[in-house]
Amino acid sequence: MIYPSGRAVMLTAAAALPAIAVALAVPAYWYAGLALVVLMLALTMADALGLPSAKNLAASLDAPRAAYVGQDVTIDVATTAPGARRFEALVEHDERLVPTEDKLRSGSGSVSTVHTAIRRGSAKLEAAWLRWPGLFGLVWRQRRVKLDREIAILPDVRPARTEAVRLFRRDANIGELVQIQAGAGGEFQALTEFRSGMDRRAIDWKASARHNNLIAREYRTERNNDIVFAVDAGRLMCEPVAGIPRIDRAISAALTAAFVALKLGDKVSLFGFDARPRISSGAVSGVASFGTFQRLAAELDYSNEETNFTLALTTLGAELKRRSLVLVFTDFVDPTSAELMLKTVGRLAERHLVLFVLMHDDELDGLANADPATADDVSRAVIAAAMLRERRIVVARLQRLGVHIIEAHHERLGPELVNAYLTLKKRNLL
């Protein structure tokens, strides 16, 4: 498509002023005033004819495969068009990316556009709009080039990953080496002579009596356990906490724990659900699989549907063939849905080790503890206190079913989850 530029419109309008002046001053020679207008039209036509052909266009896109939420993403558009010295580019994308500048970027051969990732998921780069100016800058040739590319927008796990590495180094011997202290694992490894520095609780007194020497037991922690991260993507989990949706914070914590689990030799899998199961990945192992786990987490999109715990957890229980640690990231405020959830969780906890991961509701705590100034404040405080009380009742019932509970502040969710996972692994509850 070819259309006139702003320069052509302004020059043509400026050329019309002398034509009007000539028509007013010398009406008999009014047509002479049109000379400048005709000249501008001729130059515009010549500029259009001198534009490079769009048939010879070859465009390419260079963009990262993945980015973190809140990170700037640089997208490079390169093109080869004979005769085109400079061009401008605009990338057509969905709402997960926002350009950092309103103006078009121009360049010669390649143009870089900078966008900010604001939502997790797969950001689609649908097309690139390219345009070239003519020799005189009076016309533009524009073309839309289909791209069909995607960028996986992942939760920003860089701070959480640093925390995970620190926690892993603190307990690096757990699961990596054969342990010689009691309580580090439940799987008996061997008997060995007691040496200075060993835990005295590891002494096997019967074996020591037979050998007339102190003999200690060596234990090791079982590896290759199945860890399932079940993430609720329903309406409640998509509500923001401190400006970020709960599901994004849950996925960040899940990725932190998954990184540690892969380091320790366990297998991890992702199960996402709302009104029905959305994602059910197979188990992956090895630190090299962490990138695959990140991409799977990016595919878990936001939802405005109510969570169906009965369908989701029943489906998950049917898929698990061996005893696993199931980490459920969810939230609940409705007593009816919580009641249905409790029945399903009870059946799941009979065969598997279940750990619920919850976030403190700072908003409800603030409403319940705020000093009332008006009658509306009193009503809000009473309702918030009732919701918190119902939440504590549900948590207590989950604990009676044998479910482990983590309820932490959103900024400490990842480290608290890693600590709970390492504790369960030390106690060999799997």
Side-chain angles (χ1 to χ4, degrees):
M1 180 177 68
I2 299 176
Y3 60 92
S5 65
R7 179 186 298 179
V9 174
M10 293 183 64
L11 290 178
T12 303
L17 295 177
I20 296 174
V22 170
L24 293 176
V26 189
Y29 297 95
W30 64 268
Y31 51 86
L34 298 178
L36 289 178
V37 177
V38 173
L39 177 62
M40 284 302 308
L41 293 177
L43 289 176
T44 302
M45 292 294 297
D47 210 11
L49 294 175
L51 283 171
S53 174
K55 296 181 180 179
N56 300 325
L57 171 66
S60 61
L61 182 75
D62 184 14
R65 294 183 177 273
Y68 294 115
V69 173
Q71 179 184 4
D72 288 341
V73 180
T74 301
I75 302 174
D76 296 327
V77 180
T79 181
T80 56
R85 294 174 298 174
R86 296 183 64 83
F87 73 99
E88 293 183 352
L90 177 66
V91 179
E92 182 180 335
H93 51 77
D94 59 14
E95 70 280 359
R96 289 179 171 85
L97 295 175
V98 174
T100 57
E101 297 181 358
D102 294 334
K103 63 180 181 180
L104 293 175
R105 302 294 295 271
S106 62
S108 177
S110 177
V111 171
S112 296
T113 60
V114 182
H115 301 74
T116 302
I118 60 172
R119 292 189 63 186
R120 180 185 47 80
S122 296
K124 295 182 179 180
L125 306 179
E126 299 177 357
W129 290 88
L130 309 175
R131 69 177 188 177
W132 293 264
L135 179 62
F136 307 118
L138 300 177
V139 293
W140 291 100
R141 179 184 291 277
Q142 180 172 290
R143 185 179 181 186
R144 182 179 184 269
V145 181
K146 189 176 180 180
L147 298 176
D148 195 19
R149 289 279 301 275
E150 293 185 357
I151 300 177
I153 308 300
L154 308 173
D156 191 355
V157 297
R158 289 171 292 182
R161 187 166 182 170
T162 303
E163 181 72 11
V165 172
R166 185 186 65 81
L167 292 171
F168 171 72
R169 287 176 178 174
R170 186 192 66 185
D171 296 295
N173 55 344
I174 303 301
E176 285 288 334
L177 303 174
V178 175
Q179 300 300 298
I180 59 176
Q181 66 266 28
E187 185 177 351
F188 174 73
Q189 170 70 11
L191 291 174
T192 185
E193 183 179 354
F194 182 82
R195 297 183 298 274
S196 177
M198 287 186 174
D199 195 328
R200 295 182 180 180
R201 292 174 296 176
I203 297 176
D204 189 323
W205 296 105
K206 291 184 178 180
S208 300
R210 290 195 300 268
H211 292 82
N212 292 326
N213 198 5
L214 288 179
I215 303 297
R217 288 176 175 265
E218 287 184 347
Y219 296 90
R220 67 178 180 183
T221 303
E222 183 183 358
R223 305 180 67 177
N224 229 20
N225 292 316
D226 286 341
I227 314 297
V228 182
F229 295 87
V231 181
D232 178 9
R235 177 181 60 83
L236 290 177
M237 287 294 288
C238 292
E239 293 182 354
V241 174
I244 299 178
R246 293 175 183 269
I247 185 173
D248 285 339
R249 298 192 181 277
I251 289 178
S252 296
L255 291 174
T256 305
F259 177 75
V260 176
L262 292 172
K263 274 280 191 178
L264 296 180
D266 289 333
K267 297 183 293 184
V268 300
S269 60
L270 179 66
F271 183 81
F273 60 95
D274 49 15
R276 59 185 182 273
R278 296 292 182 180
I279 294 178
S280 181
S281 70
V284 296
S285 60
V287 181
S289 302
F290 183 68
T292 303
F293 193 86
Q294 279 185 301
R295 286 190 291 272
L296 290 173
E299 296 176 2
L300 189 58
D301 206 350
Y302 306 91
S303 173
N304 56 3
E305 299 185 25
E306 295 292 340
T307 303
N308 190 336
F309 291 101
T310 302
L311 176 61
L313 297 183
T314 301
T315 303
L316 177 60
E319 292 179 355
L320 299 178
K321 303 304 180 184
R322 56 175 292 192
R323 180 173 170 82
S324 307
L325 171 60
V326 181
L327 307 175
V328 182
F329 299 81
T330 187
D331 194 15
F332 42 80
V333 293
D334 183 10
T336 303
S337 62
E339 187 68 28
L340 297 174
M341 177 190 66
L342 288 169
K343 295 180 180 179
T344 310
V345 170
R347 291 192 294 268
L348 187 66
E350 292 176 357
R351 293 188 54 215
H352 306 281
L353 182 62
V354 182
L355 173 64
F356 262 64
V357 184
L358 307 174
M359 278 173 271
H360 281 305
D361 198 323
D362 296 336
E363 185 177 1
L364 282 181
D365 288 338
L367 291 174
N369 299 324
D371 295 333
T374 63
D376 291 340
D377 294 339
V378 175
S379 299
R380 282 191 289 265
V382 171
I383 295 173
M387 296 176 68
L388 290 174
R389 183 171 61 254
E390 292 175 351
R391 181 187 180 93
R392 288 192 292 268
I393 291 174
V394 174
V395 169
R397 294 184 62 183
L398 285 171
Q399 291 174 334
R400 286 198 295 269
L401 292 174
V403 176
H404 297 264
I405 303 292
I406 293 178
E407 190 169 7
H409 191 267
H410 59 83
E411 294 182 353
R412 292 290 305 166
L413 194 62
E416 292 293 338
L417 178 59
V418 172
N419 285 329
Y421 161 72
L422 293 176
T423 301
L424 295 175
K425 193 170 182 67
K426 290 179 184 179
R427 295 170 61 187
N428 200 38
L429 295 181
L430 285 177

